[in-house]
Amino acid sequence: MKITKIELYKVPPRWLFLKMITDKGIIGWGEPVIEGRAETVKSAVLEMSDYLIGKDPLKIEDHWQKLYRGGFYRGGPILMSAISGIDQALWDIKGKYYDAPIYEFLGGKARNKIKVYSWIGGDRPENVAEEAEKKLKQGFQAIKMNASEEMHYIDDYDKVENVIKRVEAVRKKTNKNFGIAVDFHGRVHRAMAKVLFKKLADYNLMFIEEPILSENLESLNQLTSYGIPIALGERLFSRWDFKDVISNGNVDILQPDLSHAGGISEVKKIATMAEAYDIAIAPHCPLGPVSLAAAIQVDTCTPNVFIQEQSLGIHYNKGNDLLDYINNKKIFKYNDGYLEIPQKSGLGISINEEKVKQMASQGHDWKNPIWRNKDGTIAEW
């Protein structure tokens, strides 16, 4: 079997799909994208395709090593996202070729179902109490919300109080066991993070995500004493990025993204590294159906995964949503906050190619907003 062609489709709201075609008629799908840099990742995939055309798609590890080590300069969000989508498509082909789900090649099932959480509140969090109550009634057992809007290095105490009020309102509308994850989104600098951790310590949070930017990891040891689990990893892109985070002992939950951190092959390795240090995994996935399907395959065979992010109804999905591009829409049906393990071969999803091509003709040019503080300085989004 040989790879004959790679096609790319940039589809709204902000995704990039990869279709890998073989001479045996087996097709694999991937989702190689960095949000806001889809065109750049697309170019990287096209460059890498020269390595792949005419090759056997079943030699996944060899292809991964070639794509990673074959370039003198390596790593980072663009190159690793390109590899991620290619890796997903290769695994999809392998599963379809042998008529088995991908997790069967990675050790088989380690669980019977996967807990998921839902986003509420939007970019500038509002109406979170009502939205959390709605998610609880829908059967979800956990949500994630942004903590705040922009926040300066040292900022007004009103902003701190607003964060606390939102979290308190969500807790009152749900129950003591309902999972509340608060995403600082890298918007909060070290000094304000310490203030917020102290104030949030009484609310039994599931975790705080990206309490500081990943490039400022030396500050994490100032946040661990408050007893709130710390999660991060969406802006780390390989096992080499994660190894220092894992070994320093200050992070409780890693969040590698299946479309950013080297795909199925690499995230499984990152999770295994983390297990040796007693660290949990909660894969990052505010993206499309291919990325989520890839995450679910890893979740199924990885015992230290405890919950999965999913993007159905997320505030980014304006106009198009998770289910729009797949035929078997029940594959992502959530029951009591859990997702059943998929049984179909490969990634387990059936892509609606007609819809993909239709929406690719429309395309997108999604970029994240540029925020400024009151004094005019650029703020972290």
Side-chain angles (χ1 to χ4, degrees), residues 190-231:
R190 181 174 68 177
M192 299 307 295
K194 290 192 288 185
V195 173
L196 283 166
F197 263 70
K198 183 178 180 180
K199 294 290 185 179
L200 288 168
D202 294 332
Y203 292 95
N204 300 319
L205 298 182
M206 184 167 65
F207 57 79
I208 287 178
E209 179 173 333
E210 277 203 320
I212 52 175
L213 289 168
S214 292
E215 52 262 44
N216 297 327
L217 294 176
E218 69 280 354
S219 300
L220 282 178
N221 60 7
Q222 300 182 30
L223 303 174
T224 57
S225 63
Y226 296 101
I228 304 172
I230 293 173

Side-chain angles (χ1 to χ4, degrees), residues 84-359:
S84 297
I86 291 167
D87 182 81
Q88 292 166 6
L90 291 169
W91 276 110
D92 194 24
I93 289 170
K94 187 159 195 163
K96 291 171 180 175
Y97 181 80
Y98 288 107
D99 194 24
I102 293 165
Y103 58 76
E104 294 291 4
F105 301 95
L106 301 173
K109 290 182 184 179
R111 54 171 36 87
N112 297 318
K113 56 185 178 179
I114 301 163
K115 191 174 184 180
V116 295
Y117 65 82
S118 188
W119 262 94
I120 64 168
D123 236 3
R124 297 179 180 273
E126 59 183 0
N127 302 323
V128 289
E130 293 80 5
E131 288 194 39
E133 186 178 32
K134 186 186 303 182
K135 296 298 181 183
L136 179 63
K137 290 178 179 177
Q138 290 173 354
F140 287 97
Q141 299 178 28
I143 56 89
K144 186 166 78 177
M145 55 184 273
N146 280 316
S148 69
E149 47 195 1
E150 59 267 61
M151 191 169 281
H152 218 323
Y153 282 85
I154 304 294
D155 214 323
D156 297 339
Y157 194 77
D158 283 349
K159 289 190 176 180
V160 175
E161 285 191 327
N162 286 337
V163 174
I164 306 308
K165 287 177 182 177
R166 283 190 285 266
V167 172
E168 185 174 36
V170 170
R171 180 60 73 203
K172 286 181 176 178
K173 284 287 188 179
T174 56
N175 58 64
K176 66 178 182 179
N177 294 316
F178 190 79
I180 302 174
V182 178
D183 191 355
F184 283 15
H185 214 253
R187 297 172 182 172
V188 182
H189 299 277
R190 181 174 68 177
M192 299 307 295
K194 290 192 288 185
V195 173
L196 283 166
F197 263 70
K198 183 178 180 180
K199 294 290 185 179
L200 288 168
D202 294 332
Y203 292 95
N204 300 319
L205 298 182
M206 184 167 65
F207 57 79
I208 287 178
E209 179 173 333
E210 277 203 320
I212 52 175
L213 289 168
S214 292
E215 52 262 44
N216 297 327
L217 294 176
E218 69 280 354
S219 300
L220 282 178
N221 60 7
Q222 300 182 30
L223 303 174
T224 57
S225 63
Y226 296 101
I228 304 172
I230 293 173
L232 59 81
E234 67 187 82
R235 288 189 263 196
L236 301 174
F237 307 106
S238 71
R239 76 196 89 155
W240 295 280
D241 287 350
F242 276 94
K243 71 175 183 178
D244 288 338
V245 176
I246 289 171
S247 61
N248 75 18
N250 291 326
V251 176
D252 307 291
I253 302 157
L254 297 184
Q255 299 172 298
D257 190 304
L258 272 290
S259 283
H260 302 337
I264 291 168
S265 299
E266 187 72 348
V267 171
K268 179 61 176 173
K269 293 172 183 176
I270 291 165
T272 301
M273 289 168 58
E275 185 184 7
Y277 285 81
D278 203 27
I279 297 173
I281 303 291
H284 181 257
C285 190
L287 291 169
V290 183
S291 186
L292 179 57
I296 290 166
Q297 295 295 323
V298 174
D299 296 342
T300 299
C301 59
T302 306
N304 53 328
V305 169
F306 82 101
I307 202 166
Q308 175 62 56
E309 180 176 22
Q310 56 83 39
S311 71
L312 188 63
I314 199 172
H315 50 285
Y316 302 120
N317 296 357
K318 303 296 185 185
N320 291 95
D321 213 331
L322 188 67
L323 303 180
D324 293 346
Y325 295 102
I326 58 174
N327 295 313
N328 51 339
K329 300 182 188 300
K330 291 184 179 179
I331 195 76
F332 297 137
K333 184 178 180 182
Y334 309 124
N335 295 308
D336 296 326
Y338 283 85
L339 180 69
E340 296 302 316
I341 303 299
Q343 305 296 323
K344 292 184 179 295
S345 62
L347 287 169
I349 56 173
S350 171
I351 295 293
N352 184 337
E353 291 193 43
E354 183 178 345
K355 180 71 171 181
V356 169
K357 291 176 180 178
Q358 174 194 342
M359 298 312 295

